[in-house]
Amino acid sequence: MPVRLLPWQPEYGTAMQFDADAEAVAEAGPPDTTVERGVWAPVTPEVRALPPVLIVDGVRRAEAHAMDDAPDGTPVFGLFGSFAVGAVRAGPFGAASGAPARILEERIRVERRYFHSGSGADAVDGVAPPDLEVAAGRARLAFRAERVRRASTANALVARLNQSMLDEEAKLAEELSRDESALTLVDGPLRSLRSPGRRVVGYIKRIQQWYVGRAELELLPTLRAGERTPLFHVPALEVNGSAAGDGRFSWFLRVADLDVHFHPLGGVMRLETSGALPLADAARLADETAALLPRLASSPARDPRAPHNLTPVAALEARLTHLLGDRLLIRRLLTQAIARPVREEVFR
Amino acid sequence: MTRDPRSPRNRRSDRDHAGPGDEGPRHDDAHRGLVLGTEDAAASPLGFSVLVDPERYLELDDVVHVRTALPDGRAIDVFGVVDEVTARQEGVTLTSDVALTNEGVLPAQTVVAAHVAVTRVEPEIFVPPMPGRPVSLAQGALRSTALYFDAMQERLPLGLARSGEPVHGNLEFLDGTRGAHVNISGVSGVATKTSYATFLLYALFEGGVLGDRAANARALIFNVKGEDLLFLDRPNRRLAADRDARAAYETLGLPAGAFGSVAFFAPARRGELPLPDTGSRQEGVAAFCWTLREFCERSLIQFLFVDGDHDRSQVGYVVDAVEARLRRIARLSTPGSADVEIDGVAVTTFDELVDAIESHVDPDSELADRWNGTGSGSASVGTVRAFMRRLRAAAPHVGHLVRGEAFVRKAAATGHAIALDRQVTVVDIHRLHDRAQRFVVGAVLREQLEARESRAGAERPPPLFVVIDELNKYAPREGESPIKGVLLDIAERGRSLGVILIGAQQTASEVEPRIIANSAFRVVGRLDTAEAQRGEYRFLGAAMRERAGLLKPGSMIVAQPEIPVPLLVQFPHPSWATRKQEVGEAATNGTGTPDAAAVVERRFAAPAAGGARRFED
């Protein structure tokens, strides 16, 4: 096979995040690829009316890294970060058009945090670093202080910022998924949802592992847009020798037919839903996503992560990023806010 | 959602919601949006943009008001006129995104923004209106303030705005007090230049704006094409059925009728009968001509040389010499006669005069009294030939306008001169040859100008409004000519003499710039799009220039000195007849001129078939 390209623009990495040397089969044991059908062959769903879909996403941004010294002389890392989560609603879709897509402005949350690794600093003084509030015109940006335990590096704070965003996303997805008239899509695996509704699907843009074996993988390049693989069941991880929970139903689908110069796995995405669902319900979700996602897939002209990054999501991300505020302005406000007390101390 | 905010119902319901003391602009019926402050739509003291409330709309020409505050708490009122409205989708980046939005895949928000050109800042502290300030439609007194109507001592209705409210002009800038002259440009046929000029006259004379001066104010209209000015004294039959037009006249404070006091003049016909040469209208039209004596006395010969002759300096020398001789001849001729005597011989027709001139300017002439100078001062043979060629070329077209004693005596009952006895005098020259038209315009205007110059008096003379179309023909951009000199004189000095030029032309770029520059009111009807981009129309601004290409008949853009932005006005269909079929039943208010043509017809042409047939045409 000649060499072929992968679709994303390289500064965004690639959708292919798996380890080629790793065992194809996941740590929880081999998935059951026969739960839905006996034959591992493409499924072409016939979905007449596409349901409305709610897609949850978030953005985050590290505004400034900081450092402090604990009384005992150990360095304390700090991170000013912002994140926002929201959802976009699209559909229901008819043959050619749908209801206008809408960003659910009322559900958007913008949060600001000051994460710090103040290991013991507050324990010693009994005083946590204060929240920092900066004024931007009439608006006030409150960076709430939050201690990150077991953080010994600055990168751990960045990871915590990301996790905070994911937590908020999960929370929002849980709330939204109570509306069962719509399909709720979540960016990434469903693990973080504690009590998802019955119509929640996680879509995984970056494939970390394939779960299925090499033989099954050969089906993927042959899928066409709108087709999916049969469901397979991924058992839950074993905790203390017994499986915790019901595991997940998962499937692959093709979001877009790509040009010949792209690798045929390039337009493939993995999706999953709760393993606690009745099989028929899970299959219906799979069918709906197979019909829906090619429609929402982005064009390489407007998105560097095309086709995986869905068009409504790109618009939501742009909106959320906009709501985080101007990066340079916030950086400048932080600088001012921190400089003022320091200067006062110097001149005192 | 899409209710019309201007519907009375909506207005009422808004008022109901606004409780006493509720000053929130959002509940205001006039509220239209918020001042923008984005990078590409930053507010300035001279212009700003508005995010238009999605429940309302702003259109071009809407007059708006914003109140902004200084840090010390003082309020600044900023007024302006909407000169652009744009609708955009936010959240889209690519052209094809609009399709994605329609498919329901891409969320986007449609926003409408309007740009406002500031007309007035009160008090005059030029700060930008602050972003976020509510913008409202200026109505009533606020609108008058925005457009400076409140400061106008004497107001002239210029037409109706798109909103149906009247637009006023400051009469002081028209009657010579602080400025004068109107210039109208536009494509023939669709720009309705003459109609608008006539409308302005109607507003002046029938709207009562001239006050005491109305009795002595005069208008002189040269009808250079068509016959639509020949029925100014007759009401328009069509208006009876046109309720909108009648309402428009009422809004403008004008009666819907005809001009009250009009006289019509047409050149004398060729031949020996002193009949006016007109088309569809015969009755009430008087014939005019000049006598040979007047031609000589008043140096009218210069108006036969009107082409942009590049060698005019040479020919002009001969013209000047001949002019001087003709003046002397007039002085020496028998007083009281229309004829003149040259070398003791009576000259009774124009052709005889031309022959006499030729025999006197011919360098080879054996006459002792040669008119082309003598010795080194004499004009060359070539120059004299050029002079004669032009004179001979003009003679057949103008000859019947310059008559001798025999003809003038026949016309004695009605007179032969153009007298401005009525308020409005229409001189119909549309059937004349181009050269003759220039001759008439030049001769008549010079006479009026000279008459006013010689009139002593400390007070400002009553205004004379001169309406003339095809200004490019009489005062072209290039070249010099006597008639252009007269028009330039009016443009530059007419203000003090009370002579107000209402000039029109297809393209201002072809007219002497000083005439345009001296016009206080500049009006534009439908313009050719290429013409609209020329420098002469810079006063329109970019947006209005583009619109000038779209104007419908009856819509004009008017710029006047006090209002910093040009305004779009619409003027109603004429309430006077513009052609015979429109003449209403109502009579001429008893002020029509005595039926000169009919009188002459009876006296001199009893069996004449020619004249009678004309009536049936």
Side-chain angles (χ1 to χ4, degrees), chain B residues 301-315:
Chain B
I301 192 170
Q302 58 176 296
F303 294 114
L304 298 177
F305 298 83
V306 290
D307 305 295
D309 299 332
H310 291 299
D311 58 342
R312 227 196 70 81
S313 53
Q314 288 298 310
V315 174

Side-chain angles (χ1 to χ4, degrees), chain A residues 224-248:
Chain A
R224 284 177 302 183
E227 289 181 341
R228 65 171 175 91
T229 63
L231 297 182
F232 53 95
H233 185 258
V234 182
L237 285 171
E238 281 183 23
V239 180
N240 303 329
S242 61
D246 304 301
R248 293 163 280 163

Side-chain angles (χ1 to χ4, degrees), chain A residues 88 90 93 96-99 101 103 295 301-302 311-312 315, chain B residues 91-94 97 100-109:
Chain A
V88 58
F93 296 93
S97 64
I103 291 171
R295 192 146 181 171
R302 84 179 314 285
T311 302
Chain B
V92 304
T93 47
L94 304 178
D97 283 351
L100 287 182
T101 305
N102 272 11
E103 283 165 29
V105 171
L106 183 66
Q109 195 179 2

Side-chain angles (χ1 to χ4, degrees), chain B residues 149-431:
Chain B
F149 295 160
D150 60 333
M152 293 180 184
Q153 300 283 335
E154 295 172 297
R155 305 197 291 194
L156 168 74
L158 296 177
L160 296 171
R162 291 269 301 100
S163 60
E165 291 155 294
V167 172
H168 300 285
N170 193 343
L171 187 63
E172 291 187 341
F173 283 98
L174 185 60
D175 68 1
T177 313
R178 293 160 73 186
H181 311 311
V182 180
N183 187 271
I184 310 176
S185 305
V187 177
S188 281
V190 270
T192 52
K193 302 189 291 283
T194 313
S195 302
Y196 190 62
T198 322
F199 171 79
L200 288 181
L201 287 185
Y202 186 78
L204 283 165
F205 285 97
E206 307 300 328
V209 289
L210 286 174
D212 299 343
R213 287 170 293 170
N216 291 318
R218 292 289 180 267
L220 176 59
I221 311 177
F222 291 98
N223 183 41
V224 289
K225 50 188 176 186
E227 298 191 329
D228 35 333
L229 295 177
L230 290 183
F231 303 96
L232 294 183
D233 57 342
R234 306 296 166 89
N236 193 328
R237 176 187 295 176
R238 280 171 50 181
L239 217 70
D242 192 343
R243 181 185 302 223
D244 292 345
R246 289 204 313 277
Y249 277 101
E250 199 178 322
T251 310
L252 291 166
L254 299 174
F259 281 83
S261 168
V262 193
F264 298 94
F265 288 91
R269 256 186 240 174
R270 290 169 198 280
E272 290 310 309
L273 293 179
L275 297 176
D277 188 9
T278 58
S280 56
R281 176 164 183 163
Q282 294 287 315
E283 75 282 13
V285 182
F288 71 88
C289 65
W290 284 270
T291 65
L292 286 164
R293 171 183 288 277
E294 286 162 352
F295 183 81
C296 298
E297 219 166 41
R298 299 178 188 170
S299 306
L300 299 186
I301 192 170
Q302 58 176 296
F303 294 114
L304 298 177
F305 298 83
V306 290
D307 305 295
D309 299 332
H310 291 299
D311 58 342
R312 227 196 70 81
S313 53
Q314 288 298 310
V315 174
Y317 175 78
V318 183
V319 175
D320 287 348
V322 172
E323 252 176 44
R325 293 295 182 155
L326 292 180
R327 277 200 299 273
R328 211 170 86 113
I329 283 164
R331 251 193 338 269
L332 298 177
S333 300
T334 315
S337 169
D339 297 336
V340 289
E341 288 145 36
I342 299 177
D343 303 333
V345 180
V347 174
T348 60
T349 67
F350 189 68
D351 287 339
E352 284 174 24
L353 182 65
V354 172
D355 290 341
I357 292 171
E358 179 160 30
S359 59
H360 280 87
V361 293
D362 187 350
D364 300 331
S365 165
E366 288 171 12
L367 289 170
D369 180 25
R370 275 193 277 130
W371 294 356
N372 58 322
T374 50
S376 60
S378 71
S380 73
V381 178
T383 306
V384 168
R385 294 263 157 78
F387 168 79
M388 278 316 298
R389 208 164 48 239
R390 285 181 187 137
L391 186 57
R392 288 263 175 226
H397 302 301
V398 181
H400 63 290
L401 298 177
V402 182
R403 299 298 190 123
E405 179 66 22
F407 182 90
V408 172
R409 201 173 291 154
K410 282 183 229 168
T414 49
H416 67 273
I418 296 174
L420 306 189
D421 295 334
R422 298 282 163 83
Q423 277 184 333
V424 178
T425 301
V426 178
V427 178
D428 177 24
I429 51 174
H430 83 280
R431 290 161 80 95

Side-chain angles (χ1 to χ4, degrees), chain A residues 39-55:
Chain A
V39 189
W40 184 253
V43 179
T44 311
E46 281 185 31
V47 180
R48 230 166 274 139
L50 291 173
V53 60
L54 290 161
I55 313 174

Side-chain angles (χ1 to χ4, degrees), chain A residues 197-217:
Chain A
R198 288 186 303 162
R199 287 174 54 72
V200 185
V201 174
Y203 66 101
I204 294 96
K205 292 198 293 274
R206 294 170 201 263
I207 292 178
Q208 308 280 354
Q209 54 177 322
W210 292 106
Y211 291 98
V212 294
R214 268 183 211 289
E216 284 83 11
L217 271 183

Side-chain angles (χ1 to χ4, degrees), chain B residues 14 25 140 279 356 381 454 471 535:
Chain B
D14 275 345
V381 178
S454 62
L471 210 51

